[in-house]
Amino acid sequence: MDFGEKLINLRKKNQLTQKELAKKIGVTPSTISKYENATHKPPIFILAKLAETLGTTTEFLLDDVAGLREKNSVNAFPLIGNPELEKWYLELPYSFSEKELQLLKDISNVIESQK
């Protein structure tokens, strides 16, 4: 079962229309349709909202990191080719506080300025 099919099944299980789900997570109904029809993949922060709203985990929705690499994905991963780093990158929003993420961004900016 792919991401879109899982999303449809969970939405229906939760007795939500596309419009209702869209409102709960802050997107448009057409965006939900695109996710369900596999023409777009959600960004990580929307994926987290979907999982929480539908009572599941991001891991269940994705199965694996590779599914996000499809050419029609709206996500751009700078670490493609290194699955261990990519997995770590994807987990950042869930395991770090906003302050810690800002610190990582600041460190990255300093490294970039040194080049």
Short mmCIF file of all heavy atoms in Angstrom, two decimals, residues 56-107:
data_model
loop_
_atom_site.label_atom_id
_atom_site.label_comp_id
_atom_site.label_asym_id
_atom_site.label_seq_id
_atom_site.Cartn_x
_atom_site.Cartn_y
_atom_site.Cartn_z
N THR A 56 -1.73 8.07 13.77
CA THR A 56 -0.74 7.09 13.33
C THR A 56 0.64 7.69 13.49
O THR A 56 0.81 8.74 14.11
CB THR A 56 -1.01 6.65 11.87
OG1 THR A 56 -0.19 5.53 11.57
CG2 THR A 56 -0.78 7.76 10.88
N THR A 57 1.63 7.04 12.90
CA THR A 57 3.00 7.53 12.96
C THR A 57 3.46 7.92 11.56
O THR A 57 2.93 7.42 10.56
CB THR A 57 3.96 6.47 13.49
OG1 THR A 57 3.97 5.35 12.58
CG2 THR A 57 3.55 6.00 14.88
N THR A 58 4.46 8.76 11.50
CA THR A 58 5.04 9.12 10.21
C THR A 58 5.68 7.89 9.57
O THR A 58 5.65 7.73 8.36
CB THR A 58 6.08 10.24 10.34
OG1 THR A 58 7.07 9.85 11.29
CG2 THR A 58 5.42 11.53 10.78
N GLU A 59 6.24 7.02 10.40
CA GLU A 59 6.88 5.81 9.89
C GLU A 59 5.86 4.94 9.15
O GLU A 59 6.15 4.39 8.09
CB GLU A 59 7.53 5.01 11.02
CG GLU A 59 8.76 5.66 11.61
CD GLU A 59 8.45 6.77 12.62
OE1 GLU A 59 7.28 6.91 13.07
OE2 GLU A 59 9.38 7.52 12.93
N PHE A 60 4.66 4.81 9.70
CA PHE A 60 3.64 4.02 9.04
C PHE A 60 3.27 4.64 7.70
O PHE A 60 3.13 3.94 6.69
CB PHE A 60 2.38 3.88 9.90
CG PHE A 60 1.24 3.24 9.16
CD1 PHE A 60 1.22 1.87 8.95
CD2 PHE A 60 0.20 4.01 8.63
CE1 PHE A 60 0.18 1.28 8.24
CE2 PHE A 60 -0.83 3.42 7.92
CZ PHE A 60 -0.84 2.05 7.73
N LEU A 61 3.12 5.95 7.68
CA LEU A 61 2.72 6.62 6.44
C LEU A 61 3.79 6.49 5.35
O LEU A 61 3.47 6.34 4.19
CB LEU A 61 2.43 8.10 6.70
CG LEU A 61 1.16 8.40 7.48
CD1 LEU A 61 1.09 9.88 7.83
CD2 LEU A 61 -0.08 7.99 6.69
N LEU A 62 5.04 6.53 5.75
CA LEU A 62 6.13 6.53 4.77
C LEU A 62 6.69 5.17 4.42
O LEU A 62 7.17 4.97 3.32
CB LEU A 62 7.29 7.39 5.28
CG LEU A 62 7.01 8.87 5.41
CD1 LEU A 62 8.22 9.58 5.96
CD2 LEU A 62 6.61 9.45 4.07
N ASP A 63 6.70 4.27 5.35
CA ASP A 63 7.36 2.97 5.22
C ASP A 63 8.87 3.12 5.24
O ASP A 63 9.54 2.41 5.95
CB ASP A 63 6.94 2.20 3.97
CG ASP A 63 5.66 1.42 4.17
OD1 ASP A 63 5.25 1.21 5.32
OD2 ASP A 63 5.10 1.03 3.15
N ASP A 64 9.41 4.02 4.43
CA ASP A 64 10.85 4.25 4.42
C ASP A 64 11.17 5.60 3.81
O ASP A 64 10.35 6.23 3.17
CB ASP A 64 11.59 3.13 3.68
CG ASP A 64 11.24 3.08 2.19
OD1 ASP A 64 10.55 3.99 1.70
OD2 ASP A 64 11.66 2.15 1.53
N VAL A 65 12.38 6.02 4.00
CA VAL A 65 12.84 7.31 3.51
C VAL A 65 12.84 7.35 1.99
O VAL A 65 12.56 8.37 1.38
CB VAL A 65 14.25 7.61 4.07
CG1 VAL A 65 14.85 8.83 3.41
CG2 VAL A 65 14.19 7.79 5.56
N ALA A 66 13.12 6.24 1.34
CA ALA A 66 13.24 6.20 -0.12
C ALA A 66 11.96 6.67 -0.82
O ALA A 66 12.02 7.22 -1.90
CB ALA A 66 13.62 4.81 -0.59
N GLY A 67 10.82 6.46 -0.21
CA GLY A 67 9.56 6.87 -0.82
C GLY A 67 9.45 8.37 -1.04
O GLY A 67 8.70 8.82 -1.88
N LEU A 68 10.21 9.14 -0.28
CA LEU A 68 10.19 10.59 -0.44
C LEU A 68 11.03 11.07 -1.60
O LEU A 68 11.01 12.22 -1.97
CB LEU A 68 10.69 11.26 0.84
CG LEU A 68 9.72 11.23 2.01
CD1 LEU A 68 10.41 11.79 3.24
CD2 LEU A 68 8.47 11.99 1.71
N ARG A 69 11.82 10.18 -2.21
CA ARG A 69 12.73 10.58 -3.27
C ARG A 69 12.10 10.55 -4.65
O ARG A 69 12.77 10.83 -5.63
CB ARG A 69 13.94 9.67 -3.29
CG ARG A 69 14.82 9.85 -2.10
CD ARG A 69 16.10 9.12 -2.35
NE ARG A 69 16.63 8.71 -1.08
CZ ARG A 69 17.41 7.68 -0.90
NH1 ARG A 69 17.76 6.94 -1.91
NH2 ARG A 69 17.85 7.38 0.29
N GLU A 70 10.84 10.19 -4.76
CA GLU A 70 10.21 10.12 -6.07
C GLU A 70 10.35 11.45 -6.80
O GLU A 70 10.32 12.50 -6.18
CB GLU A 70 8.73 9.75 -5.93
CG GLU A 70 8.54 8.37 -5.37
CD GLU A 70 7.08 8.05 -5.13
OE1 GLU A 70 6.21 8.76 -5.66
OE2 GLU A 70 6.83 7.10 -4.39
N LYS A 71 10.47 11.40 -8.11
CA LYS A 71 10.74 12.61 -8.86
C LYS A 71 9.62 13.65 -8.79
O LYS A 71 9.85 14.82 -9.03
CB LYS A 71 11.06 12.29 -10.32
CG LYS A 71 9.96 11.58 -11.06
CD LYS A 71 10.42 11.24 -12.46
CE LYS A 71 9.36 10.40 -13.14
NZ LYS A 71 9.78 9.97 -14.45
N ASN A 72 8.40 13.23 -8.41
CA ASN A 72 7.32 14.21 -8.31
C ASN A 72 7.19 14.77 -6.90
O ASN A 72 6.27 15.50 -6.61
CB ASN A 72 5.98 13.60 -8.76
CG ASN A 72 5.55 12.44 -7.89
OD1 ASN A 72 6.22 12.08 -6.94
ND2 ASN A 72 4.43 11.84 -8.23
N SER A 73 8.13 14.45 -6.04
CA SER A 73 8.09 14.94 -4.67
C SER A 73 8.36 16.44 -4.63
O SER A 73 9.18 16.96 -5.36
CB SER A 73 9.14 14.20 -3.84
OG SER A 73 9.16 14.73 -2.53
N VAL A 74 7.66 17.12 -3.73
CA VAL A 74 7.89 18.55 -3.56
C VAL A 74 9.02 18.80 -2.57
O VAL A 74 9.41 19.94 -2.35
CB VAL A 74 6.61 19.28 -3.08
CG1 VAL A 74 5.54 19.22 -4.14
CG2 VAL A 74 6.12 18.73 -1.77
N ASN A 75 9.56 17.75 -1.99
CA ASN A 75 10.67 17.88 -1.04
C ASN A 75 12.00 17.83 -1.77
O ASN A 75 12.15 17.14 -2.76
CB ASN A 75 10.63 16.75 -0.01
CG ASN A 75 9.40 16.80 0.83
OD1 ASN A 75 9.14 17.80 1.47
ND2 ASN A 75 8.62 15.74 0.83
N ALA A 76 12.97 18.54 -1.26
CA ALA A 76 14.32 18.47 -1.81
C ALA A 76 15.25 18.12 -0.68
O ALA A 76 15.36 18.85 0.30
CB ALA A 76 14.70 19.81 -2.41
N PHE A 77 15.92 16.99 -0.79
CA PHE A 77 16.81 16.53 0.27
C PHE A 77 18.26 16.72 -0.14
O PHE A 77 18.68 16.16 -1.14
CB PHE A 77 16.55 15.06 0.61
CG PHE A 77 15.21 14.84 1.22
CD1 PHE A 77 14.19 14.28 0.48
CD2 PHE A 77 14.95 15.23 2.51
CE1 PHE A 77 12.94 14.10 1.03
CE2 PHE A 77 13.70 15.05 3.07
CZ PHE A 77 12.70 14.49 2.33
N PRO A 78 19.01 17.47 0.63
CA PRO A 78 20.41 17.69 0.28
C PRO A 78 21.29 16.47 0.55
O PRO A 78 22.42 16.45 0.16
CB PRO A 78 20.80 18.86 1.19
CG PRO A 78 19.88 18.75 2.36
CD PRO A 78 18.59 18.19 1.80
N LEU A 79 20.78 15.46 1.22
CA LEU A 79 21.60 14.33 1.63
C LEU A 79 21.28 13.05 0.86
O LEU A 79 21.64 11.97 1.29
CB LEU A 79 21.42 14.07 3.14
CG LEU A 79 21.71 15.29 4.01
CD1 LEU A 79 21.32 15.03 5.45
CD2 LEU A 79 23.17 15.68 3.92
N ILE A 80 20.63 13.17 -0.27
CA ILE A 80 20.31 11.98 -1.05
C ILE A 80 21.61 11.28 -1.42
O ILE A 80 22.58 11.91 -1.82
CB ILE A 80 19.50 12.35 -2.31
CG1 ILE A 80 18.10 12.78 -1.88
CG2 ILE A 80 19.44 11.19 -3.30
CD1 ILE A 80 17.22 13.26 -3.00
N GLY A 81 21.62 9.98 -1.27
CA GLY A 81 22.82 9.21 -1.54
C GLY A 81 23.47 8.72 -0.26
O GLY A 81 24.32 7.84 -0.30
N ASN A 82 23.09 9.29 0.87
CA ASN A 82 23.60 8.83 2.15
C ASN A 82 22.39 8.55 3.05
O ASN A 82 21.92 9.44 3.77
CB ASN A 82 24.51 9.89 2.79
CG ASN A 82 25.17 9.39 4.05
OD1 ASN A 82 24.62 8.59 4.79
ND2 ASN A 82 26.38 9.87 4.30
N PRO A 83 21.87 7.32 2.99
CA PRO A 83 20.63 7.00 3.73
C PRO A 83 20.71 7.28 5.23
O PRO A 83 19.73 7.71 5.82
CB PRO A 83 20.44 5.51 3.46
CG PRO A 83 21.22 5.23 2.23
CD PRO A 83 22.37 6.20 2.23
N GLU A 84 21.87 7.07 5.84
CA GLU A 84 21.99 7.30 7.27
C GLU A 84 21.83 8.78 7.61
O GLU A 84 21.08 9.15 8.51
CB GLU A 84 23.35 6.79 7.76
CG GLU A 84 23.50 6.88 9.27
CD GLU A 84 24.82 6.31 9.74
OE1 GLU A 84 25.26 5.28 9.18
OE2 GLU A 84 25.40 6.89 10.67
N LEU A 85 22.51 9.64 6.85
CA LEU A 85 22.37 11.08 7.08
C LEU A 85 20.98 11.57 6.71
O LEU A 85 20.41 12.43 7.38
CB LEU A 85 23.42 11.85 6.28
CG LEU A 85 24.83 11.83 6.83
CD1 LEU A 85 25.77 12.56 5.89
CD2 LEU A 85 24.90 12.43 8.22
N GLU A 86 20.42 11.04 5.65
CA GLU A 86 19.08 11.44 5.23
C GLU A 86 18.06 11.09 6.30
O GLU A 86 17.18 11.89 6.62
CB GLU A 86 18.72 10.79 3.90
CG GLU A 86 17.46 11.35 3.30
CD GLU A 86 17.20 10.82 1.91
OE1 GLU A 86 18.10 10.25 1.28
OE2 GLU A 86 16.06 10.97 1.46
N LYS A 87 18.17 9.90 6.87
CA LYS A 87 17.25 9.49 7.93
C LYS A 87 17.39 10.44 9.12
O LYS A 87 16.40 10.89 9.68
CB LYS A 87 17.54 8.05 8.35
CG LYS A 87 16.59 7.52 9.40
CD LYS A 87 16.89 6.06 9.69
CE LYS A 87 15.91 5.43 10.63
NZ LYS A 87 15.77 6.07 11.91
N TRP A 88 18.61 10.76 9.48
CA TRP A 88 18.85 11.69 10.59
C TRP A 88 18.22 13.05 10.29
O TRP A 88 17.55 13.63 11.12
CB TRP A 88 20.36 11.83 10.82
CG TRP A 88 20.71 12.82 11.88
CD1 TRP A 88 20.71 12.62 13.23
CD2 TRP A 88 21.09 14.18 11.69
NE1 TRP A 88 21.07 13.77 13.87
CE2 TRP A 88 21.32 14.75 12.96
CE3 TRP A 88 21.27 14.98 10.56
CZ2 TRP A 88 21.70 16.06 13.14
CZ3 TRP A 88 21.66 16.30 10.75
CH2 TRP A 88 21.88 16.83 12.02
N TYR A 89 18.42 13.52 9.06
CA TYR A 89 17.86 14.81 8.63
C TYR A 89 16.34 14.81 8.77
O TYR A 89 15.75 15.77 9.24
CB TYR A 89 18.30 15.07 7.19
CG TYR A 89 17.68 16.29 6.54
CD1 TYR A 89 18.14 17.56 6.82
CD2 TYR A 89 16.64 16.14 5.63
CE1 TYR A 89 17.58 18.67 6.20
CE2 TYR A 89 16.08 17.25 5.01
CZ TYR A 89 16.55 18.50 5.30
OH TYR A 89 16.00 19.59 4.70
N LEU A 90 15.70 13.73 8.36
CA LEU A 90 14.24 13.65 8.41
C LEU A 90 13.71 13.61 9.84
O LEU A 90 12.59 14.00 10.10
CB LEU A 90 13.75 12.42 7.64
CG LEU A 90 13.91 12.51 6.12
CD1 LEU A 90 13.61 11.17 5.49
CD2 LEU A 90 13.01 13.58 5.56
N GLU A 91 14.52 13.12 10.76
CA GLU A 91 14.08 13.01 12.15
C GLU A 91 14.29 14.29 12.94
O GLU A 91 13.76 14.44 14.03
CB GLU A 91 14.82 11.86 12.84
CG GLU A 91 14.41 10.50 12.31
CD GLU A 91 15.27 9.37 12.82
OE1 GLU A 91 16.31 9.63 13.46
OE2 GLU A 91 14.89 8.22 12.57
N LEU A 92 15.03 15.24 12.39
CA LEU A 92 15.32 16.48 13.12
C LEU A 92 14.09 17.17 13.71
O LEU A 92 14.09 17.49 14.88
CB LEU A 92 16.09 17.46 12.24
CG LEU A 92 17.55 17.15 12.01
CD1 LEU A 92 18.15 18.19 11.07
CD2 LEU A 92 18.32 17.11 13.30
N PRO A 93 13.04 17.41 12.93
CA PRO A 93 11.90 18.13 13.51
C PRO A 93 11.24 17.40 14.68
O PRO A 93 10.56 18.02 15.46
CB PRO A 93 10.92 18.25 12.34
CG PRO A 93 11.76 18.10 11.14
CD PRO A 93 12.86 17.16 11.53
N TYR A 94 11.44 16.11 14.79
CA TYR A 94 10.77 15.34 15.82
C TYR A 94 11.62 15.14 17.06
O TYR A 94 11.10 14.87 18.13
CB TYR A 94 10.34 13.97 15.27
CG TYR A 94 9.60 14.12 13.97
CD1 TYR A 94 10.17 13.70 12.78
CD2 TYR A 94 8.36 14.73 13.93
CE1 TYR A 94 9.51 13.86 11.58
CE2 TYR A 94 7.71 14.90 12.73
CZ TYR A 94 8.28 14.46 11.56
OH TYR A 94 7.63 14.63 10.38
N SER A 95 12.94 15.26 16.91
CA SER A 95 13.78 14.95 18.06
C SER A 95 14.49 16.16 18.64
O SER A 95 15.10 16.07 19.68
CB SER A 95 14.80 13.87 17.68
OG SER A 95 15.62 14.32 16.62
N PHE A 96 14.44 17.30 17.97
CA PHE A 96 15.10 18.50 18.46
C PHE A 96 14.09 19.59 18.74
O PHE A 96 13.09 19.72 18.05
CB PHE A 96 16.11 19.02 17.43
CG PHE A 96 17.35 18.18 17.30
CD1 PHE A 96 17.48 17.27 16.27
CD2 PHE A 96 18.39 18.32 18.20
CE1 PHE A 96 18.60 16.50 16.15
CE2 PHE A 96 19.52 17.55 18.08
CZ PHE A 96 19.64 16.63 17.06
N SER A 97 14.41 20.40 19.76
CA SER A 97 13.56 21.55 20.05
C SER A 97 13.83 22.64 19.02
O SER A 97 14.81 22.59 18.27
CB SER A 97 13.87 22.09 21.45
OG SER A 97 15.17 22.67 21.46
N GLU A 98 12.99 23.65 19.00
CA GLU A 98 13.18 24.76 18.07
C GLU A 98 14.51 25.45 18.32
O GLU A 98 15.23 25.82 17.39
CB GLU A 98 12.02 25.75 18.20
CG GLU A 98 12.08 26.87 17.19
CD GLU A 98 10.87 27.79 17.26
OE1 GLU A 98 9.83 27.37 17.78
OE2 GLU A 98 11.01 28.93 16.80
N LYS A 99 14.87 25.58 19.59
CA LYS A 99 16.14 26.21 19.96
C LYS A 99 17.32 25.39 19.43
O LYS A 99 18.29 25.95 18.89
CB LYS A 99 16.22 26.34 21.49
CG LYS A 99 17.43 27.08 21.98
CD LYS A 99 17.39 27.22 23.50
CE LYS A 99 18.63 27.93 24.01
NZ LYS A 99 18.61 28.09 25.46
N GLU A 100 17.25 24.07 19.55
CA GLU A 100 18.32 23.21 19.05
C GLU A 100 18.41 23.25 17.52
O GLU A 100 19.50 23.27 16.96
CB GLU A 100 18.10 21.76 19.53
CG GLU A 100 18.32 21.59 21.01
CD GLU A 100 17.81 20.26 21.54
OE1 GLU A 100 16.76 19.79 21.06
OE2 GLU A 100 18.47 19.71 22.43
N LEU A 101 17.26 23.30 16.85
CA LEU A 101 17.26 23.41 15.39
C LEU A 101 17.88 24.74 14.95
O LEU A 101 18.63 24.79 13.98
CB LEU A 101 15.84 23.28 14.83
CG LEU A 101 15.25 21.88 14.84
CD1 LEU A 101 13.79 21.93 14.46
CD2 LEU A 101 16.01 20.97 13.92
N GLN A 102 17.57 25.81 15.68
CA GLN A 102 18.17 27.11 15.35
C GLN A 102 19.67 27.07 15.53
O GLN A 102 20.42 27.62 14.72
CB GLN A 102 17.55 28.22 16.21
CG GLN A 102 18.04 29.61 15.84
CD GLN A 102 17.73 30.00 14.41
OE1 GLN A 102 16.59 29.92 13.98
NE2 GLN A 102 18.73 30.42 13.66
N LEU A 103 20.13 26.40 16.58
CA LEU A 103 21.57 26.25 16.81
C LEU A 103 22.22 25.50 15.65
O LEU A 103 23.28 25.90 15.16
CB LEU A 103 21.83 25.54 18.13
CG LEU A 103 23.29 25.31 18.51
CD1 LEU A 103 24.05 26.64 18.61
CD2 LEU A 103 23.39 24.54 19.82
N LEU A 104 21.59 24.42 15.19
CA LEU A 104 22.11 23.68 14.04
C LEU A 104 22.17 24.56 12.80
O LEU A 104 23.13 24.51 12.03
CB LEU A 104 21.27 22.44 13.77
CG LEU A 104 21.44 21.27 14.74
CD1 LEU A 104 20.41 20.19 14.45
CD2 LEU A 104 22.83 20.71 14.65
N LYS A 105 21.15 25.36 12.61
CA LYS A 105 21.13 26.27 11.45
C LYS A 105 22.27 27.29 11.56
O LYS A 105 22.95 27.57 10.58
CB LYS A 105 19.78 26.98 11.37
CG LYS A 105 19.67 27.90 10.18
CD LYS A 105 18.31 28.55 10.10
CE LYS A 105 18.26 29.51 8.92
NZ LYS A 105 17.04 30.30 8.92
N ASP A 106 22.47 27.83 12.76
CA ASP A 106 23.54 28.79 12.97
C ASP A 106 24.91 28.16 12.70
O ASP A 106 25.77 28.77 12.08
CB ASP A 106 23.50 29.36 14.39
CG ASP A 106 22.26 30.21 14.66
OD1 ASP A 106 21.60 30.64 13.68
OD2 ASP A 106 21.95 30.43 15.84
N ILE A 107 25.10 26.93 13.17
CA ILE A 107 26.35 26.21 12.92
C ILE A 107 26.56 26.02 11.42
O ILE A 107 27.65 26.24 10.90
CB ILE A 107 26.37 24.85 13.66
CG1 ILE A 107 26.45 25.09 15.17
CG2 ILE A 107 27.53 23.98 13.18
CD1 ILE A 107 26.19 23.84 16.00
#
